[in-house]
Amino acid sequence: MVPTSAITALQALCDVGRVKAGQKVLINGASGGVGTYAVQLAKALGAETTGVCSTTKLDLARSLGADHVIDYTRDDFADRAHRYDLILDIGGSPTLSRLRRALTPTGTAVIIGGEAGGSWTGMGRQLRAVALSPFVHQRLTMFVSKLRTKDLETLAAFIDAGTLTPRIDRTYPLDRVPEAMLQLMAGKVRGKIAITI
Ligand SMILES: NC(=O)c1ccc[n+]([C@@H]2O[C@H](COP(=O)([O-])OP(=O)(O)OC[C@H]3O[C@@H](n4cnc5c(N)ncnc54)[C@H](OP(=O)(O)O)[C@@H]3O)[C@@H](O)[C@H]2O)c1
């Protein structure tokens, strides 16, 4: 089964981000549910891919094919000399100014993740991005993924070709769902968890 995370990663890269081979792509939140698919898909689509995650998951991001990795506990992707054509913002809720600083002058940021807190709508940063975008040369966007047959077919083709593999950290039986959710909320999961029924 192809989960929503994979569909989200594909739509963010292709439909919203309009990624092209050779572009520099930053996946902020490379080690989680959406990010583990996004890194693999960005590579499969020919992008030079940088993954951002925490120290203990850098090896995972590398194993997914990331050309470069950034440890967000030590380095700031927006402080580096590098600039990116496309940023998929999945984790950490960086400010819009940090996202813009890390983009090329005409680059695109796709905000996928929710707010870390502090906004009554839960979408303050996303809405500010959409409001600001028409007034700057960079494109700042948000989106909500949709289930579409053609995307499922595309993902199935990548899986069949061996370029996309779901990263399942652990499998839990149904009666241990609370434990699984605690692991997820504690940020301890690498990729996805699966529940067996
Ligand atoms: N727009 C849509 O249609 C859509 C669809 C699906 C999901 N989402 C949203 O996307 C978000 C992520 O979902 P997920 O399933 O991928 O979550 P997840 O499995 O919990 O992954 C979160 C990722 O964010 C990283 N992260 C945490 N703090 C960070 C920081 N300060 N800087 C950079 N990266 C950081 C984590 O790295 P470490 O684990 O190494 O700390 C991990 O890679 C959620 O808010 C979810 O609601 C949106």
Side-chain angles (χ1 to χ4, degrees), residues 180-196:
M181 293 308 295
L182 286 174
Q183 291 290 313
L184 197 60
M185 288 189 297
K188 291 187 177 160
V189 174
R190 297 160 63 92
K192 304 288 290 182
I193 49 175
I195 306 299
T196 51

Side-chain angles (χ1 to χ4, degrees), residues 97-119:
S97 58
R98 278 183 69 212
L99 284 175
R100 293 192 60 203
R101 218 181 306 143
L103 282 176
T104 58
T106 57
T108 295
V110 181
I111 301 179
I112 297 169
E115 298 285 20
S119 161

Side-chain angles (χ1 to χ4, degrees), residues 4-5 8 28-35 52-54 57 72 90-92 111-114 143-145 184 187 189 191-192:
T4 308
S5 304
T8 304
N28 189 43
S31 56
V34 178
V52 183
C53 58
S54 61
K57 298 180 185 170
Y72 69 74
I90 302 166
I111 301 179
I112 297 169
F143 89 113
V144 177
S145 60
L184 197 60
V189 174
K192 304 288 290 182

